[in-house]
Amino acid sequence: MPELPEMENYRRLLNQRIAGQVVTGIEVNREKSINVIPNLFIQTVLGQKVVTVDRRGKHLLFQLQNGQVLLLHLMLGGWMFYGSEEDKPKRTVQVRLSFGQHHLYFIGLRLGYLHLFSEHDVQRQLAHLGPEPLENQFTLQSFLSLLEPKRGRIKAKLLDQEFIAGIGNCYSDEICYHAKILPKKDIEDISNPERNQLYESMKFVLNDALQHGGYMENPFYQGDTLTGGYNNRCLVYDREGEKCHRCGGIIIKEMISSRKTFFCPNCQK
Ligand SMILES: [Zn+2]
């Protein structure tokens, strides 16, 4: 499932292409992907300028000129492609937004969605989300005070969108690995220096992943060499049985809080 770096990568690429552009065509092939009847969806969005694309956690917000917002969550298996009809991947498209000769294709939206909300309602939808880990206001002090009252395993807490927004199964493992902390470690057993390191590792891993285009498998446009660049840079995620680059130990997979979790039992404590 795309996490903060993947969605932020999409947001940047989208803004370069569709910010200020008018939606000239809409195709809804899967009504379940939207939250209103297709006619109303089309009536509200068609002819509107996309003012900008924002991100909150793992969501993207397409801000329309009329004050309405398209709220996107790709969930598991969802992705986007931008290009001409000829460039279009041979995949089933659930929703298509056209911008003249170019189209934005929403693909693999099974649990994912593109919902239409007013600005007020979209804020309500996102009100439960915790802070953005890459924002400057998210200081070490704010992280430490958020973590202080928490109990349970660190992996489960990192996945909790109400705790911090945007981290999922891959980056929680990568962050714990970078911080040399076992993902199953109880929060109360994490020392103060380890807490500081966890904060530094969170910033480092998310920024590094973003810089390398995240781990999405599919390119966003024809000739896209950025998106997915992080795929081969994961140090523990999906590397069960492989060697740890840090200590030579063997990466193992365990179910932690009913999620597949990868770590090095040798150098993570
Ligand atoms: Zn190791």
Side-chain angles (χ1 to χ4, degrees):
M1 184 191 293
E3 305 176 29
L4 187 156
E6 288 70 42
M7 298 313 285
E8 181 62 19
N9 181 57
Y10 273 140
R11 186 192 71 79
R12 293 176 179 185
L13 295 174
L14 278 166
N15 271 322
Q16 289 164 8
R17 285 160 183 81
I18 65 165
Q21 301 288 318
V22 170
V23 180
T24 56
I26 301 173
E27 198 177 274
V28 179
N29 298 322
R30 188 177 185 272
E31 289 189 29
K32 277 186 177 170
S33 300
I34 59 176
N35 60 333
V36 294
I37 56 164
N39 270 348
L40 178 62
F41 186 90
I42 291 167
Q43 227 172 61
T44 313
V45 179
L46 191 64
Q48 287 300 314
K49 187 187 279 181
V50 176
V51 179
T52 188
V53 181
D54 293 326
R55 183 189 55 76
R56 184 74 176 93
K58 301 175 191 172
H59 301 80
L60 287 189
L61 294 84
F62 295 75
Q63 307 279 0
L64 304 178
Q65 201 175 16
N66 61 4
Q68 300 287 302
V69 182
L70 290 175
L71 180 67
L72 171 73
H73 197 308
L74 292 172
M75 304 291 280
L76 198 64
W79 56 287
M80 284 181 277
F81 185 85
Y82 180 83
S84 65
E85 192 63 44
E86 300 86 75
D87 298 340
K88 178 187 159 299
K90 289 176 179 50
R91 299 286 289 271
T92 310
V93 171
Q94 284 76 50
V95 182
R96 189 191 74 190
L97 298 181
S98 299
F99 302 87
Q101 296 304 304
H102 290 86
H103 314 280
L104 177 59
Y105 300 99
F106 296 89
I107 302 166
L109 294 184
R110 288 180 289 272
L111 296 168
Y113 54 81
L114 186 67
H115 285 176
L116 180 64
F117 287 111
S118 66
E119 178 60 34
H120 175 260
D121 286 346
V122 88
Q123 291 314 325
R124 262 210 326 229
Q125 293 290 321
L126 304 175
H128 65 287
L129 292 176
E132 287 290 329
L134 291 187
E135 276 185 3
N136 289 337
Q137 302 98 289
F138 187 68
T139 59
L140 171 63
Q141 207 43 59
S142 45
F143 172 68
L144 293 177
S145 17
L146 270 184
L147 191 62
E148 178 55 33
K150 303 298 187 205
R151 295 294 175 263
R153 291 172 159 180
I154 186 60
K155 160 97 177 181
K157 198 37 69 185
L158 289 174
L159 291 175
D160 179 356
Q161 299 303 296
E162 298 183 18
F163 175 59
I164 294 170
I167 298 171
N169 213 29
C170 170
Y171 294 109
S172 56
D173 286 358
E174 293 297 321
I175 290 166
C176 287
Y177 175 78
H178 190 268
K180 301 186 184 173
I181 294 172
L182 283 173
K184 57 185 165 185
K185 192 161 185 167
D186 281 327
I187 295 168
E188 50 265 56
D189 296 333
I190 300 179
S191 69
N192 288 338
E194 284 177 328
R195 286 168 191 242
N196 296 350
Q197 182 56 54
L198 202 51
Y199 171 81
E200 296 302 329
S201 295
M202 183 184 306
K203 294 254 183 192
F204 175 83
V205 168
L206 295 175
N207 270 318
D208 189 47
L210 176 56
Q211 204 185 327
H212 291 95
Y215 63 61
M216 295 305 289
E217 277 177 24
N218 300 290
F220 176 63
Y221 59 93
Q222 191 85 348
D224 178 8
T225 53
L226 174 65
T227 303
Y230 197 70
N231 237 333
N232 299 323
R233 296 179 67 90
C234 288
L235 295 175
V236 275
Y237 190 73
D238 227 2
R239 294 193 66 234
E240 185 187 16
E242 293 178 38
K243 264 194 180 164
C244 168
H245 292 316
R246 192 162 51 200
C247 75
I250 300 297
I251 309 292
I252 63 169
K253 180 176 81 176
E254 236 177 60
M255 295 304 280
I256 296 177
S257 311
S258 59
R259 305 291 292 268
K260 271 193 289 183
T261 304
F262 300 86
F263 60 92
C264 174
N266 193 40
C267 64
Q268 286 177 258
K269 306 289 177 198

